[in-house]
Amino acid sequence: MIKMKQIQIEQSCACEPEECDTFQFMAKKLGMKVLHPGGLDATETLAERCGISRNMTILDAGCGSGSSSIFLARRYGCRVIGADIDQSLLLKAYEAALKRRIADKAAFRLADIHDLPFPDETFDGAITQATLIFTEKPKALQMLFQKIRPEGFIGVVELAWKSPPPNQVIKRVQEVLCEAAVNAELHTGWISLLTQSGFEVVDSELRNLNFSFQGMLRNEGLLSTLKIALKTIRDEAVKKKTEDVTGLFKETGKYLGYGIYIGRRP
């Protein structure tokens, strides 16, 4: 059984909206728990297509505050080990698992995706969502391949270019979303990367980026959604940042979306 390391947390300050990349802004300023494109709807699609079930042990690489790990453990009854390099988010994940009485199924570990501290072939499968764009992608995927058992799966949700973007679109995405967003691959590029890492890609889908109240309600819950809405109304800087992000999705929709990818380890 994999045990969770004792995590000692240093409190991190909230960023100013104009200084944050969008992922930091969502997590630190708005207090959002689900940061990856598509939210829990995408996670549910990923889980169904991967065939996650009760008797499995799953790695959630880049788990953040643990929302997807907890969702999988509660919905499917599987055991989930969430790994992340952000100690403050791991503390939130651990507290959330305790609050939802799922800590026996969802545990969390301070770990770098490039050097995961688990024996090879430990997991029945792994998921990673909005994480690979921040990594050395081939190295991270090779590490995940090693930790998955033969005939196991990998499920990926990542920003993806629908077609090669012009320079002005790349610049706009860097300015509004985050610098790392330009590390997204073309939809076909993600498939190639997974294949080159040894996986057989058995399913893939390219989707549009969008933002909706209904999606936030499912991802964050009613109380958190109301708190986020109040912040957006009361804080002009937060309101502007939110408008910039939603505007970006409309402006760049021809080029930028997100992909869902399922791979199998032979």
Side-chain angles (χ1 to χ4, degrees), residues 191-239:
I191 294 170
S192 295
L193 266 176
L194 286 162
T195 301
Q196 291 163 13
S197 300
F199 294 102
E200 177 190 358
V201 178
V202 296
D203 197 354
S204 65
E205 180 184 352
L206 186 59
R207 293 183 172 183
N208 295 325
L209 288 168
N210 58 60
F211 179 84
S212 70
F213 178 81
Q214 291 83 359
M216 181 180 289
L217 194 61
R218 182 184 185 189
N219 294 336
E220 306 298 329
L222 178 59
L223 183 58
S224 293
T225 298
L226 291 174
K227 289 180 179 178
I228 292 166
L230 284 174
K231 286 181 182 179
T232 303
I233 293 169
R234 293 174 176 174
D235 189 320
E236 285 298 321
V238 169
K239 181 179 179 181

Side-chain angles (χ1 to χ4, degrees), residues 77-194:
C78 56
R79 177 166 171 75
V80 185
I81 307 296
D84 205 282
I85 59 172
D86 189 321
Q87 292 180 325
S88 63
L89 293 179
L90 286 173
L91 177 58
K92 291 178 180 179
Y94 180 62
E95 291 174 343
L98 287 176
K99 182 178 180 181
R100 289 166 176 77
R101 299 181 180 179
I102 199 70
D104 61 325
K105 292 283 189 179
F108 301 94
R109 185 81 176 265
L110 185 66
D112 187 331
I113 195 173
H114 300 100
D115 187 23
L116 293 168
F118 309 109
D120 288 352
E121 301 183 4
T122 293
F123 299 96
D124 297 294
I127 68 165
T128 181
Q129 302 173 113
T131 297
L132 292 174
I133 61 170
F134 298 98
T135 71
E136 299 174 48
K137 289 172 283 191
K139 184 177 179 180
L141 284 169
Q142 288 163 13
M143 176 60 61
L144 291 171
F145 184 91
Q146 291 175 26
K147 304 307 174 184
I148 298 168
R149 296 175 184 138
E151 301 184 3
F153 66 82
I154 186 170
V156 176
V157 174
E158 283 291 347
L159 290 172
W161 296 110
K162 300 175 184 177
S163 59
N167 288 335
Q168 64 266 30
V169 169
I170 294 174
K171 182 178 179 182
R172 181 71 173 146
V173 170
Q174 284 179 309
E175 291 172 348
V176 177
L177 201 55
C178 72
E179 289 283 342
V182 300
N183 294 329
E185 299 284 338
L186 285 167
H187 180 58
T188 53
W190 283 119
I191 294 170
S192 295
L193 266 176
L194 286 162

